[in-house]
Amino acid sequence: MLREQKLTQKFTYKIRDIEAYSWRKRDSSIMQTYNLTTPQQNIYNETKFYSDTALGNIGGTLEFSMDGLTSEIIEKAINLLIDAAEGLRLRITENDGEVYQYVSEHEYESITVIDAIEMTDEQIDERVSAMMRTPITYDGKLYRFEILQRADSWLIVAVMHHIISDAWSMTIVDDAILHVCEALIKGEEPVLNIAPYTDFVAKEQEYFASKKYQKDKAFWSEMYAEHPEYVRLKPNAMTSTSPAANRLYAEVSPTLSKQIKAFCSEYEYSPATVFEAAMLIYLDRINGGGKTPSLGLAVLNRDGAKDKRTLGMFISTIPLTAKPSEDKSLGELCAEINDLHLQIFRHQKYPYFHILSGIHQHYDDVEKLFDVMMSYQNAQIDADINARSKWYTNGNSEVALAFHIDDRDHLGVYKLNLDYQTEQFPDEAEVALLKDRILCIVEQITAKSDMTVADVGILPESEKELIIHTFNDTAVDYPSDKCVHQLFEAVAANIPDE
């Protein structure tokens, strides 16, 4: 997620007797219920509003190989994870119109195993996409697992409801399964040091009653004391009536990825800073200039080691607003965004809808601040294990464009996932052009940081070629031995009634 420090996840695994694995006593005669946290409530509201969609799904695949690995070992690893991770056993219930959650007992589950030895990558993508686009309802368990056996590897599909998981939690799941499988193959009994999500429920309630909450409220009230601009991604487009979306996958070239990493290392910036600067410049430019755009930032919302080893829904959204003035250098704009990060991340626990509510009290015409959400994901699984992960779309997006920068698998290149609403972008080619424009700006930021914003070009060479040459290639053959009036007379003679 969007953090200035590197958020590489490491978990402690110890060996102990399997009978001691039930680390928390559970009284099945009393069902303890808990309120939803703010991140969970946001997901609940969205999924209830779009109840016929899979907007609440999050998931993907983990592919890996180990000597001695079997489907039985993987199934046991998944079950040990479910038992250890309270967050996976959360269930949703309603009572007198109020929504609550409780922790269910774990019973050993059989996981479906699919023979995928003859399946192509495309067929596997289709299968996983179908799972991701099938809604998970609130009337039972809030996750799905499946095991696929390939010729030289195993692939685990994990689809979860967003109300119990976020991107960081998905990395916890991947990392845990890998280490448990490794321990089981060695004949050891693993222990996962995963903290209970219900502790975060209590922690959030304490926050709302704290002085910190009041300080955060004052910060955001001051940040948006003046009327904010709503700068659209597509200025003349109608607002979407459906969250239906597709995903464009892309990779940043090794050359540009290396250039970005070198730039960020030199100035101690997050790659998120560079991509956000590029998007702000783009939004300002396509809206005529002189604007102060906002972006939605997906933030980790986890502080301290305990939060970072908790499986559950923490992620929140905060707005970042900055004016890419033409007289600023690209380096100055990045420095300003970096400083903004340091400010707003200190106040990231304050819920976004509280920010909007505060703005609305003074400016009742403000319904939203941004069309574009951005996230930077660098939570990494153990690099010593031969594994790779892939994220899949659920086929929906709550904003016109969700721009995800992925740096999780030690590949040396940034992967981009662009979730775009199909009402806004009926043709994926338009999204591909947008992606190329952002990368064009990123290249200039990281190569020429002393250049002013006014001098930045937003069209890559390929699009310039398309516009200047391809679209203007209008030459046609015609009889060069005749004058224009003679050609006109000939046409008129052929179609006299028109």
Side-chain angles (χ1 to χ4, degrees):
M1 290 303 154
L2 295 172
R3 306 283 278 182
E4 292 308 307
Q5 68 271 30
K6 186 176 182 182
L7 296 177
T8 301
Q9 288 178 289
K10 297 294 179 184
F11 300 95
T12 302
Y13 297 85
K14 300 178 181 177
I15 306 306
R16 66 173 177 179
D17 190 271
I18 192 64
E19 281 74 23
Y21 202 86
S22 184
W23 53 272
R24 168 174 292 200
K25 293 182 179 179
R26 306 180 185 117
D27 183 352
S28 58
S29 65
I30 302 174
M31 185 178 76
Q32 175 68 53
T33 60
Y34 305 87
N35 292 323
L36 300 185
T37 63
T38 301
Q40 289 180 309
Q41 190 67 57
N42 293 339
I43 293 296
Y44 184 83
N45 293 341
E46 287 179 353
T47 52
K48 281 295 185 178
F49 188 77
Y50 296 110
S51 58
D52 59 342
T53 75
L55 181 65
N57 288 7
I58 181 173
T61 58
L62 173 68
E63 187 169 6
F64 64 107
S65 58
M66 292 179 184
D67 292 339
L69 190 61
T70 65
S71 61
E72 291 78 11
I73 288 175
I74 298 174
E75 180 179 274
K76 185 175 182 180
I78 292 172
N79 274 276
L80 289 174
L81 169 64
I82 295 170
D83 187 70
E86 178 187 272
L88 285 176
R89 292 182 284 106
L90 290 174
R91 302 291 184 266
I92 304 301
T93 185
E94 293 189 18
N95 184 15
D96 295 331
E98 296 294 328
V99 183
Y100 301 96
Q101 58 188 324
Y102 65 94
V103 182
S104 65
E105 294 283 349
H106 173 240
E107 296 181 0
Y108 194 92
E109 300 180 25
S110 296
I111 310 297
T112 300
V113 180
I114 303 297
D115 182 351
I117 293 175
E118 301 297 327
M119 292 177 68
T120 65
D121 289 344
E122 290 74 19
Q123 289 172 324
I124 289 176
D125 281 343
E126 289 177 5
R127 183 178 188 89
V128 178
S129 293
M131 289 179 65
M132 279 294 296
R133 292 168 185 261
T134 302
I136 296 177
T137 59
Y138 289 117
D139 56 359
K141 63 184 181 181
L142 299 169
Y143 56 81
R144 303 188 189 109
F145 286 101
E146 195 168 83
I147 303 169
L148 277 66
Q149 181 177 11
R150 307 200 72 181
D152 300 310
S153 63
W154 293 87
L155 189 144
I156 300 174
V157 184
V159 180
M160 301 183 185
H161 200 294
H162 218 329
I163 206 165
I164 65 165
S165 183
D166 55 18
W168 184 270
S169 295
M170 295 302 296
T171 303
I172 292 178
V173 169
D174 289 350
D175 203 61
I177 289 174
L178 289 173
H179 282 86
V180 173
C181 285
E182 191 175 45
L184 293 176
I185 289 172
K186 295 176 180 178
E188 301 170 342
E189 299 288 0
V191 168
L192 304 179
N193 189 20
I194 300 176
Y197 186 75
T198 49
D199 285 358
F200 175 65
V201 177
K203 182 178 176 181
E204 188 187 58
Q205 292 303 311
E206 292 172 1
Y207 164 71
F208 286 135
S210 71
K211 292 181 179 179
K212 178 67 168 64
Y213 174 81
Q214 296 301 326
K215 289 181 180 178
D216 291 346
K217 180 179 180 179
F219 170 83
W220 289 109
S221 295
E222 183 178 351
M223 178 69 72
Y224 292 103
E226 296 183 5
H227 193 295
E229 288 187 84
Y230 171 37
V231 181
R232 301 197 59 179
L233 178 60
K234 296 190 72 174
N236 299 317
M238 298 290 289
T239 301
S240 295
T241 59
S242 165
N246 286 330
R247 172 170 289 183
L248 174 71
Y249 295 97
E251 282 190 1
V252 180
S253 72
T255 300
L256 182 54
S257 293
K258 185 177 180 180
Q259 185 170 304
I260 295 168
K261 290 177 186 292
F263 176 82
C264 292
S265 176
E266 179 179 355
Y267 294 99
E268 298 185 346
Y269 294 154
S270 162
T273 296
V274 177
F275 281 92
E276 289 160 17
M279 185 63 75
L280 289 169
I281 291 171
Y282 180 75
L283 288 171
D284 176 63
R285 191 69 60 84
I286 63 171
N287 280 276
K291 304 297 183 183
T292 306
S294 295
L295 302 172
L297 306 187
V299 293
L300 195 62
N301 195 27
R302 296 172 186 248
D303 55 82
K306 184 176 181 180
D307 282 356
K308 292 174 185 175
R309 59 182 178 85
T310 302
L311 197 156
M313 176 55 181
F314 284 77
I315 193 172
S316 63
T317 301
I318 55 175
L320 181 144
T321 303
K323 187 180 184 69
S325 302
E326 290 191 342
D327 59 344
K328 289 178 184 174
S329 72
L330 297 176
E332 289 171 339
L333 178 60
C334 286
E336 180 182 337
I337 293 171
N338 187 64
D339 288 343
L340 275 172
H341 280 183
L342 298 177
Q343 293 179 50
I344 63 180
F345 289 160
R346 294 192 194 102
H347 306 279
Q348 64 177 278
K349 287 192 173 298
Y350 194 73
Y352 175 59
F353 76 87
H354 289 198
I355 297 173
L356 272 184
S357 177
I359 295 172
H360 198 70
Q361 289 178 9
H362 301 285
Y363 310 107
D364 59 10
D365 61 324
V366 176
E367 296 183 358
K368 61 191 301 187
L369 296 178
F370 51 80
D371 269 354
V372 180
M373 281 278 297
M374 301 193 74
S375 72
Y376 172 56
Q377 301 167 358
N378 68 338
Q380 297 174 346
I381 57 178
D382 195 321
D384 295 330
I385 298 177
N386 181 24
R388 63 190 180 95
S389 59
K390 182 176 180 179
W391 292 79
Y392 284 78
T393 176
N394 59 33
N396 298 274
S397 174
E398 65 270 31
V399 292
L401 177 68
F403 195 110
H404 307 288
I405 305 108
D406 188 343
D407 187 28
R408 296 176 302 120
D409 283 349
H410 310 278
L411 297 177
V413 297
Y414 296 103
K415 293 189 288 186
L416 303 179
N417 298 318
L418 279 68
D419 294 330
Y420 60 94
Q421 290 181 340
T422 51
E423 282 189 11
Q424 296 289 312
F425 298 96
D427 187 352
E428 189 172 276
E430 185 179 359
V431 183
L433 284 175
L434 188 155
K435 177 263 301 178
D436 289 342
R437 292 169 186 167
I438 297 301
L439 291 180
C440 175
I441 301 172
V442 166
E443 196 282 329
Q444 293 168 84
I445 291 172
T446 53
K448 307 170 185 176
S449 60
D450 57 344
M451 176 191 291
T452 65
V453 170
D455 292 331
V456 171
I458 69 170
L459 299 184
E461 290 301 321
S462 57
E463 190 172 357
K464 288 180 183 177
E465 177 70 23
L466 181 69
I467 294 171
I468 296 172
H469 298 290
T470 305
F471 290 166
N472 282 315
D473 186 10
T474 57
V476 295
D477 291 330
Y478 66 95
S480 57
D481 59 336
K482 294 184 179 180
C483 296
V484 172
H485 72 279
Q486 292 174 311
L487 296 173
F488 184 84
E489 289 171 351
V491 172
N494 288 333
I495 47 174
D497 295 333
E498 297 184 18

